[in-house]
Amino acid sequence: MSAPATAPPPPANLKRIVAASLIGTTIEWYDFFLYGSAAALVFNKLFFPDSDPLVGTLLSFLTYAVGFAARPLGALVFGHYGDRLGRKKLLVLSLLLMGGATFAIGLLPTHASIGTAAPALLTVLRLVQGFALGGEWGGAVLLVSEHGDARRRGFWASWPQTGAPAGQLLATGVLSLLTALLSDAAFGSWGWRIPFLLSGVLVIVGLWIRLSVDESPVFKEALAQAEARKADVAAEAEKLPLVSVLRHHWRDVLVAMGARMAENISYYVITAFILVYATTSAGVSKQTALNAVLIASAVHFAVIPAWGALSDRIGRRPVYLMGAVGVGLWMFPFFSLIDTGGFGNLILAVTVGLVLHGAMYAPQAAFFSEMFATRMRYSGASIGAQFASVAAGAPAPLIATALLSDYGSSTPIALYVIAAAVLTVVAVAAAEETRHRDLADADAVLPSDGGADRKAAAAEDARTV
């Protein structure tokens, strides 16, 4: 590969960029996961009170899944403008949208106050959350990936990924504290609103940090090159980033979608569905289940950078495959440990599951970033990641709850996750190793089937402005 066109930024600058991405993703995942936890614990009673308890939980998770349905749209819109205007502007917008929607949920009247309008408004706000998160992930990981160098990209790019367990840790921690301090009646009446309203304060902090960073030098250089080449292709129709991605990177999009299946499904089964399964089937208290997820999320946060660093040494694919195979093998022991009802076994089940999940999630940021050319990277990475979430993470708690309702057993749920793991193994095994690719070369990962194809692809990258 060619030498990087721009030198890596000083460590202090890179750390500030990592911090800006991490604080933003933490806040956005806090908002997103807070809804998932509330859906499992209280929303079934507050917004669907006329339903059977398990049916109410299904309906609650259905509104949870709606947020995933909006994520591909967010990926398309934010990817399009992120590839044209830059990563930073779109990341600020996504943070404002997510924080505003979460704060509004904290003010939302319940079914007892306004009837069926309550779940309808809840669904609309969940759609806004999903739309914002669909654009957040790609921009956050690219901002770090494009500032760093190839030698340690897996490690640095894994830090925005820790925003997911950090957000889960924060959301679960706040809920756990409130359920410990408040009675069930007080928590169901007004206490559940506090974590949502807290989002307003967190967004202010996130904006202050995120506005302090600059656009990535790799993107600036690619934009300048594209502007310089526009004169050569001015007579041809301008192409949208989405069109360029689907024309030149459709295989990479499919690989990314397949890679997300086991990662996404296992995560939401382990962290969201467990709050239903442990409390209804294993007889574990709500507080105990929350505490187990809290402890496991802390371990998850710690191991993600380690998995990212390992991917720099042995490659993205081997680490990813370890996680996919491991999660598949862990599912039956996972449910068996929960069925014992012991707190130690519950912690072990969730912690091991999240450690194995981290082996997929940690290299994902660098892996997906390295698949796509610079001027298509936001669109490509976001589309691959977020379109998969509709089929993976969105219905995972819903499907798991339905399987539990129909069969009264964890076996079908374990088989469901194992099937996703097999799909991910096939997708990642079919991918190329990317860890040595130079993101500074805008055309480094464009098709190389021949001179004419490569020239056409480069020209199309120039038109993606």
Side-chain angles (χ1 to χ4, degrees):
M1 301 302 299
S2 59
T6 55
N13 186 38
L14 181 56
K15 289 177 182 177
R16 186 172 71 251
I17 291 161
V18 170
S21 292
L22 174 56
I23 189 67
T25 54
T26 297
I27 292 168
E28 298 221 20
W29 281 115
Y30 165 81
D31 292 345
F32 205 75
F33 288 141
L34 181 61
Y35 188 103
S37 297
L41 297 173
V42 295
F43 280 178
N44 57 333
K45 300 173 184 176
L46 295 173
F47 294 94
F48 307 98
D50 299 328
S51 304
D52 172 84
L54 197 54
V55 173
T57 302
L58 280 168
L59 293 173
S60 185
F61 274 140
L62 185 60
T63 62
Y64 174 74
V66 162
F68 287 83
R71 284 166 69 169
L73 179 60
L76 291 173
V77 173
F78 280 81
H80 171 79
Y81 288 104
D83 280 330
R84 292 186 171 210
L85 304 177
R87 295 28 171 150
K88 177 181 173 179
K89 297 182 180 69
L90 276 298
L91 286 174
V92 169
L93 178 60
S94 70
L95 187 61
L96 287 172
L97 285 174
M98 176 65 87
T102 304
F103 187 83
I105 291 175
L107 300 174
L108 196 63
T110 63
H111 187 279
S113 299
I114 60 174
T116 55
L121 290 172
L122 182 68
T123 302
V124 170
L125 293 173
R126 182 61 176 170
L127 284 168
V128 175
Q129 281 190 323
F131 178 79
L133 192 60
E136 162 69 23
W137 181 84
V141 299
L142 293 187
L143 196 64
V144 177
S145 295
E146 292 179 345
H147 273 90
D149 64 303
R151 188 175 60 87
R152 301 192 70 196
R153 184 180 299 126
F155 171 74
W156 289 114
S158 70
W159 279 100
Q161 300 292 76
T162 65
Q168 179 76 66
L169 189 66
L170 187 58
T172 306
V174 171
L175 284 172
S176 182
L177 178 63
L178 289 172
T179 55
L181 296 177
L182 302 176
S183 65
D184 287 345
F187 182 77
S189 175
W190 55 268
W192 67 271
R193 297 182 183 276
I194 295 174
F196 289 92
L197 297 176
L198 180 62
S199 178
V201 178
L202 297 176
V203 166
I204 294 173
V205 175
L207 283 175
W208 176 68
I209 297 176
R210 189 160 274 187
L211 287 169
S212 68
V213 302
D214 197 10
E215 188 57 74
S216 74
V218 170
F219 177 81
K220 288 180 178 179
E221 182 176 348
L223 182 61
Q225 291 174 354
E227 292 286 352
R229 292 195 299 258
K230 280 177 68 176
D232 297 332
V233 293
E236 300 182 41
E238 181 181 346
K239 293 293 190 299
L240 299 175
L242 172 62
V243 175
S244 300
V245 167
L246 296 182
R247 180 175 179 182
H248 297 297
H249 289 287
W250 62 269
R251 290 183 183 85
D252 296 318
V253 169
L254 291 178
V255 167
M257 291 177 67
R260 283 275 282 173
M261 289 298 164
E263 177 269 307
N264 222 214
I265 289 173
S266 66
Y267 188 79
Y268 290 104
V269 168
I270 293 169
T271 60
F273 172 70
I274 188 180
L275 298 178
V276 175
Y277 184 81
T279 55
T280 60
S281 295
V284 175
S285 71
K286 178 170 57 180
Q287 183 67 46
T288 299
L290 282 170
N291 287 341
V293 174
L294 188 68
I295 294 169
S297 294
V299 177
H300 193 209
F301 179 91
V303 300
I304 284 178
W307 283 122
L310 183 62
S311 78
D312 286 327
R313 295 180 63 86
I314 67 174
R316 318 296 184 215
R317 292 170 69 248
V319 175
Y320 213 113
L321 289 170
M322 277 187 247
V325 173
V327 160
L329 294 175
W330 184 244
M331 276 302 101
F332 281 111
F334 172 78
F335 285 108
S336 295
L337 287 168
I338 295 174
D339 288 337
T340 66
F343 183 52
N345 285 341
L346 189 60
I347 293 174
L348 179 63
V350 182
T351 301
V352 173
L354 288 182
V355 168
L356 293 170
H357 171 270
M360 294 182 283
Y361 200 55
Q364 191 178 96
F367 191 28
F368 289 7
S369 298
E370 291 158 349
M371 289 181 182
F372 301 95
T374 301
R375 299 287 289 134
M376 310 174 197
R377 189 168 292 134
Y378 202 145
S379 295
S382 296
I383 291 168
Q386 303 307 333
F387 271 69
S389 69
V390 176
L398 189 64
I399 290 173
T401 305
L403 289 172
L404 180 63
S405 178
D406 290 345
Y407 295 97
S409 168
S410 63
T411 299
I413 305 166
L415 293 174
Y416 166 53
V417 178
I418 290 169
V422 171
L423 183 58
T424 291
V425 168
V426 171
V428 175
E432 296 180 7
E433 181 55 60
T434 62
R435 71 185 173 109
H436 293 302
R437 287 180 177 168
D438 178 15
L439 297 187
D441 183 356
D443 300 328
V445 292
L446 286 170
S448 55
D449 303 310
D453 287 344
R454 187 173 177 83
K455 182 176 180 181
E460 187 148 342
D461 190 34
R463 290 197 298 274
T464 312
V465 178

